[in-house]
Amino acid sequence: MISIRNKEQLIKNGETQLDRKARRLALCSLESAVNAVDPAQIMKSKLLLKDTILHVDGHVFDMKEFRHVYVLGGGKASGLMAQALEEVLGNRITKGLVNVPHGTRLRTERIELHGANHPVPDQTGVEGTRRMVEIAEEAEKQDLVICLISGGGSSLMPLPRGNISIADKRAITDALLRSGATINEINTVRKHISEFKGGWLARKTYPATILNLVLSDVVGDPLDVIASGPTVPDSTTFSDATRILKRYSLWDKAPSTIREVLTDGEKGVIPETPKANDKTFKKVCNVIVGNNRSASLAAQKYLISAGLNTILLTSTLEGEARQVGRMLASIAREVRLSGNPVPRPGGVVAGGETTVVVTGKGLGGRNQEIPLAAALKLDGTSGTAVASMTTDGVDGPTDAAGAIGDGKTLIRAAREELAPTRFLAENDSYHFFSKLEDLIFTGPTGTNVNDVSVIVVL
Amino acid sequence: MISIRNKEQLIKNGETQLDRKARRLALCSLESAVNAVDPAQIMKSKLLLKDTILHVDGHVFDMKEFRHVYVLGGGKASGLMAQALEEVLGNRITKGLVNVPHGTRLRTERIELHGANHPVPDQTGVEGTRRMVEIAEEAEKQDLVICLISGGGSSLMPLPRGNISIADKRAITDALLRSGATINEINTVRKHISEFKGGWLARKTYPATILNLVLSDVVGDPLDVIASGPTVPDSTTFSDATRILKRYSLWDKAPSTIREVLTDGEKGVIPETPKANDKTFKKVCNVIVGNNRSASLAAQKYLISAGLNTILLTSTLEGEARQVGRMLASIAREVRLSGNPVPRPGGVVAGGETTVVVTGKGLGGRNQEIPLAAALKLDGTSGTAVASMTTDGVDGPTDAAGAIGDGKTLIRAAREELAPTRFLAENDSYHFFSKLEDLIFTGPTGTNVNDVSVIVVL
C-alpha cells in the first residue's frame, strides 16, 4: 500500500471544512491512482494461473505445452513484477534474469535480479543484457519467454552494437537531446546502434514464444517506444538514423564507432531491425498490464465512490505544465459557474505527462507547477482543490511527488508574503508549496505510469 | 444569419467520408455558436415587452413608471444592440446615443449612432462620450437609462479626466502593456484617469435607474473589466494606480497630466471612484445578455442534436493557444481510445480566449494555432476534427476567423511538402492552413464573445 505520508497535514491546511473535504477527496483519489498501478498488485490482478492455463488479459497460455519458461526484462518496476510473477508461476519458471536499478532490495527465487545503473546506463547494464540475450538464444520452439518491461528499461538494458561503447551511445543521445531532436528521432538512432532494442530481443528469441508484459511509462503506450521496443517491430531504417544525425548537424561530431555501424547498416553489412512482416513477431504477445489510464480510472473510481459527478478528461495529457494548470482551473471554474462539464459536486481527472521548459533558477517539478498555475486562477472559492502527482513519487529534481492547491492558496500565500507569480516565473514551485506545507510526499513508489491530476469542486 | 462562407470547400477537403462528416459537424457547430450571440437575435430573445412590463432575464421593469427612457453605450456590437432595442421598445425610447466604430452602417430612429475610432481611441470617441455624460446628468429619479455595452467599449468610450489628452492616455496604456502589467493593473490606472469608467457613468446617472445590458467579450464576464466597468463599483484606489506606475518604473516617464490627476486623487482633491457601498449602485441592474457560454452551449446543442455524446469543457478557457491545442488533441485521442470523457461519436466544446506569445515572423492567430497544434497529435485517424474560430470573425491580424484540422492534416501537409512544426514555430499558422485551404472565413460578424473550439470524434 503506497500512501501520501503527509496526507493528514495536507488536509488540515484547508481553510474551511469544505476546503478540507475537497483536499481529502483529491488526495485519496491520487492515492487510489498510484495503488492501482502498484507493480505487485497489478501483476496479480492481470495474471491468473488456473490448472495449467495462464490467463493474461484475454490471452491464454497452456503452461504444460512449454518445456521451459524463461523470464527476462528490465525497468524500475521490473523487480517487483518479477517477484509477483514468481508468486503466480512458482517453479514453472525455469530461470530468468531482470535488470533492476542498483540497490533494489527484493528477494526472488528463480529470477535473478541483476543490478544496473540508472538513469545513466553503464557496463553493469550491458553485462545483464548480454546474459539476457544468451538466455533468449538458448530458448527453443517449445519454450516461453516472459519479458517484464517497465519505465527506465531503456537505460537499464543497454547493448550497443559492434565497437560502440556506452560512452559513445551516451554522447550521441545527449547531443540529440540538446539539439532538440524529438523522442522518436532519438529512438530511431538508438534502435540502430543496439543489439537488443528495436525488436532485436524478439528476433533472438525466435522461435520461442514471447509474452511481453509492459507497465507503460510513455504517454499513449507506444510499444515501440517503451524501453525502445525490444520485442516490437521497428519501422525505421539505418538511412533514417543517418538522416537524423545529419539533420541536426551531428554526423561529423558523432563517435566514429557509431558512424561505422550506421554506414555498414546502410550498405547491408549489418542487418536491418526486424520489420512488422517478420515471422518473429507472429510468436510475440504484447500486453500492457498497467498504464496511465489504469491509474486515472482508479482516481476517477474513487471520486465516483465518494459520490462525485466525474469525468476522465484524458490519460494522454501532454503540454507545458503551467498551461495545463490554467486549463484545469478554467474547467474547475466552469463546474462551479455552470455545472459543465459535470455538475457539482464534481471531479475531473486528467492523466499523462506534462513538461516544463525551465527558464528560471528555482526548484520544482511539473506536478508542482500545475497546481501553482491553477491556484492563480481559483480566486478564493471554497471547496475547489487541484492536486497533481507523479506516480513514481519523484517529481522533477525534487523529493516531492507533487502538490495541492485550492481556492485559498493565494490568500494563504499573501499572508506569508509570497508572490505566487514570481515563484512560477522562476520555476520555483517547490519552495512556494514548501512554505505553505502543501507538497505531496510519498517517497519513491516503485512504479511509474507518469502523472495524474485531479480537480475537485464541491 | 452569420455563416462560414467557405464551409462547403472545408467539408470537401476531408479525405474520407468520415472526415467530411466530422468536418461538417464541427463547422456547423461553430456556426451555431456564433449565431447564438448575434447581437440582434440575442437582444430580441432576452428582452420581452409585454403590455408595459419589460422582462429581462428574470428582472422586471414597469415602463409606465418611467418618465424618460435614455439609451447610452458603446462597443462594436452596440449598434446592432441599439437597433434591436428600438424594435422592442419603439417610441418608449426618449433619446439616446451610442458610440460605434466609424463606418457602421445601421439605421436607427431614436438612438443616435455616433462614429468613433477603434481600436485606437480618439477625439471622436471623446465627443460622443461627453454627450452621453450630458444625457446621464439630465436623467432624473423617474427616468430609466439603458446602457448597451459590448467588446471594444473601452476604446470607443474614452473620457480622460482633467487635462489628460487621448495621446497621454494611450502613451501610459502602451507603456504598461509593454512592461508586462496585467489587464487588472492597466484597468486600475485607466479607471483613475477617466471620468466615465470605473463606475463614474453610474454615479453621474444617479438617481435615475440603470439597466446595463452587456454582451461580454472578457473571459469569465468580470463586469468591472468589460468596457472598464462604467456602471460597476471599482475596488481600487488612486494609491493603487500610483503604486502600479511605480512598480513598472513608469511614474517618472508618465505624462505630467496623468501624474497631476493621480496626485490630486491621492490628496482627495479629486473624488475616488465610486465603491461597492455607494448608493449609486442600488439603482443599477447589470445583465449579461450574451457571453462565451451562450455561444459554447449553442455549439454543444448543435452537436447533441446531431446525435453526438457531448461535453462543454469550459467557457473560460485561457492559456497559450498551441498548448490548448495539444490538450484538446489528447482529449480527442482519449475519446477514441477509451470512450472518455465521452463515448464515440463524441463532441467536446471549449470556449474562452487563448493567447499567442509571438516568437516567429509568420502570420496567424490563436484560432489557427489551436488546430495546427492539435493536428500534430492526431496521427492519421479518420473522423476526428478540431476546429476553432473567433466569434468576431477576425482572428489575430488575419482575415480568417479560424481554421480546421483533422487526422489527415499532416498527411495532406506532407503531400504539399509543408512542415507543420516549422509553421507553428514561426507562428505562421495562417500560411499553413491557407495552403491546405483550411482557413475558416466568415468576415466580421458584428459580435464578439471570444473564441470557441470544437472537437468531433466519430
Side-chain angles (χ1 to χ4, degrees):
Chain A
M1 175 75 190
I2 303 157
S3 59
I4 295 174
R5 289 181 199 159
N6 58 333
K7 188 168 70 177
E8 292 311 315
Q9 180 61 49
L10 293 171
I11 294 168
K12 261 194 212 157
N13 288 346
E15 295 263 302
T16 66
Q17 206 183 333
L18 210 58
D19 289 327
R20 289 188 286 276
K21 186 173 176 197
R23 282 170 169 255
R24 186 168 53 75
L25 291 171
L27 294 166
C28 291
S29 161
L30 290 177
E31 268 186 346
S32 300
V34 65
N35 278 293
V37 287
D38 177 81
Q41 294 306 319
I42 212 163
M43 287 288 285
K44 283 181 229 164
S45 76
K46 285 275 174 176
L47 301 187
L48 173 70
L49 183 68
K50 190 152 166 49
D51 303 325
T52 64
I53 309 293
L54 178 67
H55 298 262
V56 189
D57 211 30
H59 304 277
V60 163
F61 297 84
D62 189 347
M63 299 307 280
K64 75 172 183 295
E65 286 181 7
F66 297 113
R67 216 182 36 172
H68 298 296
V69 176
Y70 302 112
V71 180
L72 311 175
K76 287 188 282 175
S78 299
L80 283 165
M81 291 169 82
Q83 213 176 31
L85 186 67
E86 287 194 347
E87 283 190 47
V88 175
L89 293 183
N91 57 17
R92 290 187 184 272
I93 297 169
T94 311
K95 65 173 176 179
L97 186 145
V98 167
N99 278 6
V100 296
H102 286 306
T104 302
R105 267 184 296 266
L106 292 172
R107 280 177 160 262
T108 46
E109 300 286 327
R110 297 181 164 249
I111 306 166
E112 180 183 341
L113 301 186
H114 177 88
N117 229 48
H118 177 81
V120 181
D122 77 355
Q123 207 51 37
T124 55
V126 173
E127 281 155 22
T129 311
R130 206 180 296 284
R131 286 182 52 206
M132 284 185 225
V133 169
E134 284 166 22
I135 296 173
E137 286 173 340
E138 196 182 321
E140 292 178 10
K141 196 169 177 196
Q142 285 165 354
D143 297 338
L144 173 66
V145 174
I146 301 179
C147 295
L148 304 175
I149 303 293
S150 56
S154 200
S155 42
L156 285 164
M157 296 185 289
L159 193 59
R161 185 174 278 283
N163 297 321
I164 298 171
S165 69
I166 283 283
D168 293 343
K169 203 190 130 183
R170 207 185 305 161
I172 201 69
T173 309
D174 289 351
L176 282 164
L177 271 174
R178 275 197 307 274
S179 308
T182 67
I183 185 69
N184 283 335
E185 289 171 331
I186 295 173
N187 279 333
T188 298
V189 174
R190 270 192 199 157
K191 288 174 183 176
H192 284 90
I193 59 175
S194 169
E195 291 197 41
F196 191 80
K197 293 163 183 173
W200 280 114
L201 173 63
R203 176 61 150 276
K204 287 171 195 218
T205 307
Y206 187 83
T209 300
I210 294 182
L211 169 58
N212 188 31
L213 301 176
V214 179
L215 187 61
S216 164
D217 72 327
V218 184
V219 165
D221 313 326
L223 283 167
D224 63 323
V225 176
I226 302 167
S228 304
T231 64
V232 183
D234 174 39
S235 59
T236 65
T237 65
F238 279 105
S239 310
D240 292 331
T242 302
R243 207 174 305 128
I244 288 161
L245 291 185
K246 289 181 176 165
R247 182 177 307 155
Y248 294 100
S249 310
L250 295 173
W251 179 256
D252 295 326
K253 293 174 209 153
S256 61
T257 53
I258 289 178
R259 288 203 306 263
E260 275 162 29
V261 163
L262 296 182
T263 309
D264 283 355
E266 285 201 84
K267 283 187 206 149
V269 180
I270 299 172
E272 189 49 83
T273 49
K275 301 291 173 253
N277 57 3
D278 194 300
K279 62 184 186 302
T280 301
F281 300 107
K282 295 216 170 76
K283 305 282 283 182
V284 179
C285 172
N286 290 305
V287 176
I288 306 273
V289 292
N291 58 8
N292 187 277
R293 189 173 301 123
S294 321
S296 295
L297 284 170
Q300 182 188 24
K301 199 173 148 201
Y302 175 84
L303 296 175
I304 292 170
S305 73
L308 270 61
N309 305 300
T310 70
I311 52 167
L312 169 57
L313 204 57
T314 178
S315 69
T316 62
L317 185 62
E318 294 178 294
E320 182 70 20
R322 65 187 61 201
Q323 302 287 346
V324 168
R326 288 176 79 175
M327 189 150 171
L328 294 181
S330 82
I331 296 171
R333 213 154 119 179
E334 195 67 32
V335 173
R336 181 165 298 285
L337 292 174
S338 81
N340 284 298
V342 286
R344 278 201 279 162
V348 177
V349 176
E353 187 170 65
T354 61
T355 39
V356 172
V357 175
V358 178
T359 55
K361 292 179 189 128
L363 184 65
R366 50 197 192 278
N367 292 289
Q368 297 159 59
E369 290 209 354
I370 287 174
L372 174 50
L376 282 169
K377 297 274 169 189
L378 290 184
D379 300 339
T381 51
S382 264
T384 304
V386 176
S388 191
M389 74 177 266
T390 169
T391 53
D392 74 358
V394 181
D395 188 38
T398 77
D399 58 352
I404 184 164
D406 65 17
K408 306 295 167 46
T409 296
L410 294 194
I411 298 164
R412 291 172 57 222
R415 221 181 280 150
E416 308 282 328
E417 308 219 346
L418 307 173
T421 47
R422 210 163 300 156
F423 281 88
L424 189 56
E426 277 298 321
N427 298 109
D428 204 19
S429 48
Y430 182 86
H431 290 120
F432 178 79
F433 283 116
S434 166
K435 281 177 183 153
L436 295 183
E437 300 189 332
D438 272 346
L439 289 168
I440 296 173
F441 290 105
T442 58
T445 60
T447 188
N448 182 17
V449 296
N450 309 121
D451 310 333
V452 180
S453 300
V454 171
I455 308 172
V456 172
V457 183
L458 298 179
Chain B
M1 175 75 190
I2 303 157
S3 59
I4 295 174
R5 288 182 200 159
N6 57 333
K7 189 167 71 176
E8 291 311 316
Q9 180 61 49
L10 293 171
I11 294 169
K12 260 194 213 158
N13 289 346
E15 295 265 301
T16 66
Q17 205 183 334
L18 211 57
D19 289 326
R20 290 189 286 275
K21 186 173 175 197
R23 282 170 169 254
R24 187 169 51 76
L25 291 171
L27 295 166
C28 291
S29 162
L30 290 177
E31 269 185 346
S32 299
V34 65
N35 279 293
V37 288
D38 177 82
Q41 294 305 320
I42 212 163
M43 288 286 286
K44 283 181 227 162
S45 75
K46 285 274 175 177
L47 300 186
L48 174 69
L49 183 70
K50 192 153 163 50
D51 303 326
T52 63
I53 309 292
L54 178 66
H55 298 263
V56 188
D57 213 28
H59 304 277
V60 162
F61 297 83
D62 188 346
M63 300 307 282
K64 75 172 181 296
E65 287 181 5
F66 297 112
R67 217 184 35 174
H68 298 296
V69 175
Y70 301 113
V71 180
L72 310 176
K76 286 188 281 175
S78 298
L80 283 165
M81 291 169 82
Q83 211 176 33
L85 186 67
E86 286 195 347
E87 283 191 46
V88 175
L89 293 183
N91 56 16
R92 289 185 184 273
I93 296 170
T94 311
K95 65 174 175 178
L97 185 145
V98 167
N99 277 5
V100 296
H102 285 306
T104 301
R105 268 184 294 265
L106 292 172
R107 280 176 161 263
T108 45
E109 300 285 328
R110 296 180 164 250
I111 306 167
E112 179 182 342
L113 301 185
H114 178 89
N117 228 47
H118 176 82
V120 180
D122 76 354
Q123 206 52 36
T124 55
V126 174
E127 280 155 22
T129 312
R130 206 181 295 284
R131 285 182 52 206
M132 284 184 224
V133 170
E134 284 166 20
I135 296 174
E137 287 173 337
E138 194 182 320
E140 292 179 11
K141 198 169 175 197
Q142 284 166 355
D143 296 338
L144 173 66
V145 175
I146 301 179
C147 296
L148 304 176
I149 304 292
S150 58
S154 200
S155 42
L156 285 166
M157 295 185 288
L159 193 59
R161 186 174 277 283
N163 296 321
I164 298 170
S165 69
I166 282 284
D168 294 342
K169 203 190 131 184
R170 207 186 305 161
I172 200 70
T173 309
D174 289 351
L176 282 164
L177 271 174
R178 274 197 309 273
S179 307
T182 66
I183 185 68
N184 283 334
E185 289 172 330
I186 294 173
N187 278 333
T188 298
V189 174
R190 269 193 201 158
K191 287 174 184 177
H192 284 90
I193 58 175
S194 169
E195 291 197 42
F196 191 80
K197 292 163 184 173
W200 281 115
L201 174 63
R203 175 63 149 278
K204 288 173 195 217
T205 308
Y206 187 84
T209 300
I210 295 182
L211 169 59
N212 188 31
L213 302 176
V214 179
L215 187 60
S216 166
D217 72 327
V218 183
V219 166
D221 314 327
L223 283 168
D224 63 323
V225 176
I226 301 167
S228 304
T231 64
V232 183
D234 174 37
S235 60
T236 65
T237 65
F238 279 106
S239 310
D240 291 334
T242 302
R243 207 174 306 128
I244 288 161
L245 291 186
K246 288 182 176 166
R247 182 177 305 155
Y248 292 101
S249 309
L250 295 174
W251 179 257
D252 295 327
K253 293 174 212 152
S256 61
T257 52
I258 288 179
R259 286 205 307 264
E260 276 161 30
V261 162
L262 295 182
T263 309
D264 283 354
E266 284 200 85
K267 283 188 206 148
V269 178
I270 298 172
E272 189 50 83
T273 49
K275 301 293 174 253
N277 57 3
D278 194 299
K279 62 184 186 301
T280 301
F281 301 108
K282 295 215 170 76
K283 305 282 284 181
V284 179
C285 173
N286 291 305
V287 176
I288 306 272
V289 293
N291 59 9
N292 187 277
R293 189 172 304 123
S294 322
S296 294
L297 284 170
Q300 183 187 24
K301 199 172 149 201
Y302 175 84
L303 296 175
I304 293 170
S305 73
L308 269 59
N309 305 299
T310 70
I311 53 167
L312 168 59
L313 205 57
T314 179
S315 70
T316 62
L317 185 63
E318 294 178 294
E320 182 70 21
R322 66 187 61 200
Q323 301 287 347
V324 168
R326 288 177 78 175
M327 189 152 170
L328 294 181
S330 81
I331 297 171
R333 213 155 119 180
E334 195 68 32
V335 173
R336 182 165 297 285
L337 292 174
S338 81
N340 283 296
V342 287
R344 278 200 278 161
V348 177
V349 177
E353 187 172 64
T354 62
T355 40
V356 172
V357 176
V358 178
T359 55
K361 292 179 190 128
L363 183 66
R366 51 197 190 278
N367 292 290
Q368 296 158 60
E369 290 209 354
I370 287 174
L372 174 50
L376 282 168
K377 298 273 170 189
L378 290 184
D379 300 339
T381 52
S382 264
T384 303
V386 176
S388 191
M389 75 176 266
T390 171
T391 54
D392 74 358
V394 181
D395 189 37
T398 75
D399 58 352
I404 185 164
D406 66 18
K408 307 294 167 46
T409 297
L410 294 194
I411 299 164
R412 291 172 57 222
R415 219 180 282 148
E416 307 284 326
E417 308 219 348
L418 306 173
T421 48
R422 210 163 299 157
F423 280 88
L424 189 55
E426 278 298 320
N427 298 108
D428 204 18
S429 48
Y430 182 87
H431 290 120
F432 178 79
F433 283 115
S434 165
K435 281 176 183 154
L436 294 182
E437 300 189 333
D438 272 345
L439 289 168
I440 296 173
F441 290 104
T442 60
T445 61
T447 188
N448 182 18
V449 296
N450 309 121
D451 310 333
V452 180
S453 299
V454 172
I455 308 170
V456 171
V457 183
L458 298 178

